[in-house]
Amino acid sequence: MAKMNESFLELKTNYLFAEIANRVRAFEEANPNPELPLIRMGIGDVKLPIPQMILDAGKKSLDELGVAEAFRGYEDSGRGYLFAREAVASYYASFGVEINADDVFISDGAKSDTGNIGDLFSPDSVVIITDPVYPVYDNASIMRGHRVVRSNFVTDELPEKADIIYLCSPNNPTGDAYTFEQLKKWVCYAKKVGAVIIYDSAYEAFIQEPDKCPSSIFEIEGAKECAIEIASLSKNAGFTGIRAGYTIVHKELMLEDAKGEKVSLAELWKKRQASKFNGVNYSAQRMIESALSFEGQQALHENIKYYQENARIIMDALTELGIKFTGGVNSPYVWFKCPNTGDSWEFFDFLLNKVHVVGTPGIGFGANGAGMFRLTAFSTRENTTEAMRRFREKIPTVRNS
Ligand code: PLP
């Protein structure tokens, strides 16, 4: 019989969201008509519709596919249409970062690329992951048999050797964003040990302090030679269902082969994508073009502001309740220590059963998430306001009990 990849046995797959779903289902079965309806502030999925001009770009592209002269099939570069790659380059230029459209690879979202990029590295690679972490980096590394070393968000106590470093800023789950100084330290460390930083910027659009926190790792000098950036249109443009993102790999970035010869990471990524990926659909790419245009960004800014206001409502309530938190300012996530208990699941059960609010237990994001909790601002204004009203009413009781 064929043998399985034993690394899969080490995965804690879907434990977190499956366990949340089980507990919510049990609650709903036991309470078919709860006095207060359940409010979900767990999974980080967007709620607002995609702005009309971006939808129109998608619809127009579909109409083109119905006309023989305009029809398009496979896209032959495998990296995405030039118009979409140029839209990415112009978007970066709008905040002062120079990107060559040739260095952009259009993707079906950041999850695939953060998960697949490890294919390019040797099986004996050492991967640094900041804990708590977006579980994809961890699981993808484990599946590949890479050795995972856990670190803090900042460059404390790092190993002498590392090959891959996954960074996420603004961070899921903590909502923290790197400052220029903190990110410079990571770039210095990566260069010193010869590692490649995989920088996940899925929540970049939520940065409200651009003078303090970079929007792109390429704002840091020298990052082109040691980092790639993986971006998503899911959270900024509401493309969680459309599926679109992009990855930037500069030509300057090199890996080494067994003989010590330099090999371009971009060339390896091209080979990988050409072998296992057939590109992103034409309509999604026209929607990327529209979303990243000046007008698209203006329309999307309204949606981002809406979520930022939700985050402010959450932060205000936690501040009033004396609960310390991170995030919320440069991120749609607010991360806090569970009041009155050191146990994330205990607090989850309390919120579910007594407050009728669903959040995400921090322990699901790694050992450093123990006793912590995540709430998302990707909710409606009504639900966010109502959830925080319930927090104000119910949490003091627990804190004082
Ligand atoms: N990166 C991070 C840090 C995320 O939190 C998520 C989704 O929650 C993703 C990537 C997934 O992005 P996409 O929808 O583009 O695959």
Side-chain angles (χ1 to χ4, degrees):
M1 195 180 280
K3 296 276 190 291
M4 71 171 288
N5 175 349
E6 297 265 326
S7 301
F8 277 60
L9 296 174
E10 289 172 41
L11 295 180
K12 300 167 220 90
T13 358
N14 292 336
Y15 166 73
L16 175 63
F17 288 105
E19 181 61 26
I20 291 176
N22 285 343
R23 292 188 191 208
V24 170
R25 203 175 310 115
F27 168 84
E28 284 176 327
E29 277 165 19
N31 304 276
N33 292 306
E35 197 189 319
L36 296 172
L38 208 56
I39 297 179
R40 291 164 202 269
M41 298 173 79
I43 291 182
D45 198 357
V46 289
K47 295 285 174 299
L48 296 176
I50 297 171
Q52 194 58 45
M53 68 163 282
I54 302 172
L55 287 179
D56 287 344
K59 288 180 188 168
K60 186 164 164 264
S61 70
L62 282 178
D63 286 341
E64 282 175 42
L65 299 182
V67 178
E69 296 72 34
F71 176 78
R72 299 185 190 227
Y74 289 126
E75 188 272 313
D76 49 13
S77 83
R79 284 181 291 145
Y81 288 104
L82 184 60
F83 66 76
R85 291 186 280 118
E86 281 179 343
V88 172
S90 311
Y91 173 63
Y92 275 67
S94 74
F95 53 85
V97 174
E98 201 182 317
I99 299 289
N100 187 329
D102 280 350
D103 297 337
V104 177
F105 296 76
I106 302 298
S107 73
D108 63 356
K111 186 172 187 174
S112 318
D113 281 12
T114 49
N116 292 329
I117 195 79
D119 283 4
L120 313 189
F121 294 81
S122 157
D124 64 0
S125 295
V126 174
V127 184
I128 295 185
I129 280 171
T130 63
D131 181 342
V133 71
Y134 173 53
V136 171
Y137 319 148
D138 207 2
N139 281 355
S141 304
I142 293 171
M143 284 178 192
R144 212 166 263 120
H146 284 163
R147 186 157 76 81
V148 176
V149 176
R150 281 154 202 288
S151 143
N152 293 325
F153 188 60
V154 288
T155 44
D156 291 342
E157 297 175 29
L158 292 175
E160 302 266 301
K161 172 171 161 41
D163 303 290
I164 304 170
I165 304 166
Y166 277 101
L167 299 182
C168 175
S169 180
N171 189 267
N172 177 12
T174 68
D176 260 334
Y178 285 120
T179 62
F180 282 88
E181 281 315 306
Q182 288 171 330
L183 205 49
K184 258 184 217 162
K185 286 188 184 159
W186 276 111
V187 168
C188 271
Y189 169 74
K191 290 194 144 184
K192 190 175 91 186
V193 299
V196 174
I197 297 175
I198 314 294
Y199 189 77
D200 182 342
S201 66
Y203 298 94
E204 160 273 319
F206 290 85
I207 291 178
Q208 297 193 73
E209 300 175 311
D211 296 342
K212 205 169 125 196
C213 304
S215 298
S216 160
I217 194 167
F218 300 124
E219 290 183 63
I220 308 295
E221 208 184 317
K224 282 184 179 180
E225 297 102 56
C226 69
I228 71 168
E229 185 154 305
I230 297 184
S232 167
L233 277 93
S234 286
K235 317 291 171 154
N236 56 352
F239 282 19
T240 46
I242 297 287
R243 309 303 312 139
Y246 53 88
T247 290
I248 301 170
V249 188
H250 288 283
K251 291 183 188 63
E252 289 87 340
L253 182 50
M254 297 288 163
L255 296 182
E256 209 174 72
D257 69 13
K259 291 185 232 113
E261 303 285 335
K262 299 234 177 331
V263 186
S264 150
L265 195 148
E267 287 306 318
L268 292 179
W269 186 237
K270 267 184 217 166
K271 280 190 190 168
R272 192 269 167 209
Q273 293 299 78
S275 309
K276 292 193 178 176
F277 184 60
N278 240 348
V280 178
N281 80 69
Y282 173 59
S283 298
Q285 298 199 49
R286 282 294 182 199
M287 290 174 77
I288 295 179
E289 180 188 35
S290 171
L292 294 181
S293 69
F294 178 72
E295 297 75 20
Q297 285 298 297
Q298 279 183 320
L300 289 172
H301 189 59
E302 293 306 309
N303 287 7
I304 306 268
K305 270 197 331 213
Y306 180 93
Y307 296 129
Q308 283 168 336
E309 178 59 15
N310 284 350
R312 195 195 54 74
I313 291 168
I314 299 170
M315 290 190 291
D316 283 354
L318 297 187
T319 305
E320 234 175 80
L321 291 165
I323 299 170
K324 292 213 167 62
F325 60 87
T326 57
V329 179
N330 294 306
S331 148
Y333 297 123
V334 182
W335 174 255
F336 57 93
K337 195 163 175 323
C338 300
N340 239 26
T341 166
D343 188 276
S344 303
W345 281 112
E346 204 176 295
F347 186 67
F348 174 90
D349 287 335
F350 160 75
L351 268 194
L352 174 64
N353 293 297
K354 302 281 189 272
V355 191
H356 299 188
V357 170
V358 181
T360 312
I363 185 69
F365 297 100
N368 289 345
M372 305 298 291
F373 207 76
R374 191 192 79 174
L375 287 180
T376 168
F378 290 131
S379 192
T380 61
R381 179 81 78 250
E382 297 68 34
N383 279 349
T384 308
T385 309
E386 169 58 15
M388 292 305 107
R389 185 195 68 72
R390 295 183 198 172
F391 262 55
R392 284 185 174 91
E393 185 183 291
K394 312 269 186 190
I395 300 234
T397 334
V398 187
R399 283 174 71 78
N400 300 329
S401 62

